[in-house]
Structures are given as structure tokens and as C-alpha cells.
Amino acid sequence: MQKVTTIPYSIQWNESHITILNQQELPLKTEFLELHTLEDVFDSIVTLKVRGAPAIGITAAFGVALAANALEDEFFPSFAAKVKEAITYLASSRPTAVNLFWALNRMESALSGSTTVNEAKTDLVHEALKIYLEDEETCRQIGEYGLSLFKPGSRVMTICNAGGIATARYGTALAPFHLSIEKNIHLKVFACETRPVLQGSRLTAWELMEAGVDVTLITDSMAAHTIRTKGVNAIIVGADRIAANGDTANKIGTFGLAVLAKHFGIPFYVAAPSSTFDLTLDSGDHIPIEERNAEEITHVGGIRVAPEDVAVFNPAFDVTPNELITAIITEKGIIYPDYKENIGKYIAH
Ligand SMILES: CSC[C@H]1O[C@H](OP(=O)(O)O)[C@H](O)[C@@H]1O
């Protein structure tokens, strides 16, 4: 009997608070948290309780609306100044996913379009809800375009979690798999565990099993052997920031998969909404790469697995050069090289 596709809603707006699915507790515990203050929202993003480029932007947008609602200023200039402080504060939470800054810019524009405190509070909530609802439709469209690239029975590898819990719904790289269940198309997914934070084993394996997708978990080091021995046909990944020439920042380990795709002659797809493109950057050379604390590597489940005081390098992302990317799947369509020439035809910022 076909499992019903249960795509979890990871973020919900309530007038007095934001409810999020605590992604740090999955898969052992499905826990929802209420975020009541700006500090709660900041902490949830920094500590990856909510993570995934679009989800970070959506949560930050709701965070701005929440902070504005809590202000008691009646004088619009002082109110507006405090809302802008909240925007600046949330912008400092994580540096790589451009969706965070894209969403905060939309919130600042909504503020600038208001003239009174009450009007601004209403406009900010409406703008955050628009960002959320647009993302759900955007991800479904990405799923439709992505699914068109996979024949029934395809065996597809992915890394990290670019799924429904990393967006409003459906996800980006995982959206084709969610839609494949709705359309009764069999696809087999190989999910890389994604050291050190394990978004693949903890989140993608969980999310796809919940949805009834045929998923096999592997360690990141098994990728090459799995592609060769299990007949992987394609690789699809999400993105945190895409430069104007198509260079793409995504979870650490993505670049290595793109090199493997080239070696094995299989397509390497990036799936991302328009809000993930940063056309101010000519190339990926200037994409800020977040480095996270050493404990993510030296400890597993709170248990030390490396020597005290060992030197650690913990970049959370890497940049895949555009020449290794077969196509970029967006809600506007599938973008093929030459990216410098073609991105502008689809993405207007
Ligand atoms: C649609 S999620 C995009 C992207 O965000 C993830 O990073 P993180 O888990 O650190 O927030 C990962 O790179 C996904 O591919």
C-alpha cells in the first residue's frame, strides 16, 4: 500500500511566535519549537535548528515580523530604525546562503513602503507570508522540471538535505523525489550522510523514507564506489549561492561529487530557486564560505573522536565551478551553459 506523502511543514507563522521543526533532533525526535523573540530566531538559525537556504530566509523574514510586532514605538522613525537593527542582526547569523539576505532585503523594502507603525506591522507580516507561499510554489515547480530529467527507474545521488524541511515545502534537490511519489514514478536515491553535521543521514534519509521514496544511505567516502557499482545515473544537489557565471556554493562535499560526475560521465544537476542566485558576483571566487566550530568534527553525538587540541578546518560549504554543472534547475526553467549568457534570460534581480 502506497505511503501517503507526508511532507513535513518545518516552519509555521503564528501571530505571537514562529513554530519550527527542530532539525537538530531528527531523526530520533520530531520536536517542534516556538520562537518568541528575535534572539530565539537568531539562535535557531546559527545552531541549525532551522537550516537550508530557503528555510533560513523564510524564518528570518518571520523573525523580522515578530520583532516588529513586539515593538511599542508609536513614532514611525524610531520604530523603523529598530526594525532595521533587527534585520542587520539576523543578517549576521550565517554568511553563505544568499536567500537569507534576499529575504531580509524584501522585508526592508516592505518597511520602506510603509508610513505608519500599524501599516508597517501589517505589511511586514504579509511580506513574510508571501515569501513563504511563493517558496512552496517555487519548489513544486523545481520538482516538476527536475523530474522531467529522470527516466522512471533512475538511480540518483544527492548530498546534504535540500528537502521539504529546508524550504517551505517539497525542497529543491529533493522536490523531484517527492513529486515522483505523487506521480507513482519509481526513482532510487543514494543519500550521502554528509559529514560533519549529517544532514544526509539524519534529515534526507528520514524525509525520503517518510515520503515513501526508495532511499539508500551511504557515507560520503563511498560515493565513487557507489556510482561505479550501483549504476548511479545522475547527481542532484541544492545550492546556497549561485554566481552570475553558474559557480555554485553548496554543502561541503558537493564539489567532490561534481568531479566524480565528470569522471563517470553522468549529469550533475543543481536545483535552486531564483532567490539563490547572486548576480552581483561574477564568479564563485567571492562567495563567503562559512566556517563552523571544531566540535562538529572532533565530536560525534557529544563523544570526542579526535585528539584534544587537534587543528581543525571546518568549512560548511564548497564552490563547484560552473564547467562541472550540467544544468541548473529553477522554477523558471532548466538553465544550460553558457551560464553567463543564459542565467540572465531566466533570473532577473
Ligand atoms: C534547499 S537547502 C540548500 C542548501 O542548504 C544546506 O546547507 P545547511 O544545511 O548548512 O543550511 C545545504 O547546503 C543545502 O544544499
Side-chain angles (χ1 to χ4, degrees):
M1 183 176 177
Q2 183 92 29
K3 281 183 76 172
V4 173
T5 302
T6 53
I7 300 171
Y9 286 95
S10 60
I11 311 158
Q12 292 164 323
W13 170 254
N14 311 276
E15 283 309 312
S16 65
H17 62 276
I18 304 162
T19 304
I20 62 163
L21 172 64
N22 183 355
Q23 298 190 42
Q24 282 289 30
E25 291 298 328
L26 289 172
L28 302 183
K29 195 163 46 167
T30 304
E31 172 186 88
F32 288 89
L33 298 174
E34 291 187 359
L35 309 180
H36 288 269
T37 67
L38 192 62
E39 291 68 25
D40 288 347
V41 174
F42 183 86
D43 169 78
S44 69
I45 294 171
V46 170
T47 58
L48 309 190
K49 292 185 181 72
V50 62
R51 36 82 29 219
I56 292 169
I58 291 165
T59 306
F62 282 141
V64 173
L66 195 66
N69 282 351
L71 293 174
E72 295 176 355
D73 296 67
E74 293 181 4
F75 183 52
F76 183 74
S78 62
F79 166 85
K82 289 174 183 172
V83 173
K84 287 177 181 175
E85 284 173 17
I87 289 171
T88 303
Y89 175 56
L90 290 174
S92 68
S93 55
R94 294 186 74 191
T96 304
V98 72
N99 314 65
L100 170 63
F101 310 100
W102 171 84
L104 291 174
N105 286 341
R106 278 189 57 169
M107 297 304 283
E108 186 153 1
S109 298
L111 176 68
S112 305
S114 311
T115 53
T116 69
V117 170
N118 287 338
E119 181 191 15
K121 289 185 175 183
T122 301
D123 291 351
L124 288 168
V125 171
H126 286 174
E127 188 65 17
L129 288 169
K130 271 175 62 180
I131 291 169
Y132 178 87
L133 293 170
E134 286 169 9
D135 186 64
E136 181 170 349
E137 181 50 37
T138 290
C139 288
R140 184 177 177 90
Q141 190 57 61
I142 289 171
E144 295 283 2
Y145 282 121
L147 190 56
S148 73
L149 296 170
F150 300 138
K151 292 175 185 167
S154 291
R155 306 156 78 82
V156 186
M157 184 172 288
T158 191
I159 190 168
C160 199
N161 173 266
I165 58 177
T167 64
R169 192 176 180 192
Y170 296 112
T172 55
L174 301 192
F177 308 129
H178 283 299
L179 293 195
S180 74
I181 294 297
E182 290 184 14
K183 300 172 187 286
N184 205 22
I185 297 170
H186 178 249
L187 297 175
K188 183 170 182 56
V189 180
F190 291 92
C192 295
E193 67 174 355
T194 318
R195 282 272 299 154
V197 178
L198 302 176
Q199 290 95 329
S201 53
R202 294 189 307 107
L203 306 178
T204 290
W206 174 83
E207 179 177 328
L208 293 183
M209 289 178 73
E210 284 287 300
V213 175
D214 178 356
V215 57
T216 299
L217 176 63
I218 63 171
T219 66
D220 304 331
S221 55
M222 295 173 187
H225 181 68
T226 302
I227 294 169
R228 182 165 64 186
T229 60
K230 294 296 183 183
V232 172
N233 307 106
I235 298 175
I236 188 169
V237 301
D240 291 82
R241 194 179 301 222
I242 303 171
N245 71 342
D247 290 350
T248 295
N250 194 53
K251 186 51 51 199
I252 190 74
T254 302
F255 178 20
L257 290 186
V259 172
L260 290 176
K262 182 87 174 177
H263 172 78
F264 286 104
I266 62 175
F268 180 86
Y269 298 118
V270 170
S274 303
S275 54
T276 306
F277 287 77
D278 180 353
L279 303 186
T280 68
L281 299 181
D282 292 337
S283 76
D285 295 346
H286 305 295
I287 297 178
I289 299 298
E290 177 186 14
E291 291 193 28
R292 295 183 63 85
N293 62 49
E295 286 66 34
E296 286 186 352
I297 295 179
T298 59
H299 290 67
V300 176
I303 297 171
R304 173 174 288 280
V305 292
E308 294 267 359
D309 302 326
V310 65
V312 170
F313 175 45
N314 183 18
F317 302 95
D318 56 28
V319 176
T320 298
N322 65 79
E323 61 266 24
L324 295 178
I325 299 171
T326 307
I328 303 174
I329 307 162
T330 76
E331 74 279 17
K332 310 273 188 178
I334 302 172
I335 306 174
Y336 290 93
D338 175 80
Y339 294 121
K340 267 188 185 173
E341 185 180 322
N342 292 333
I343 284 176
K345 297 174 184 169
Y346 290 83
I347 310 298
H349 275 344

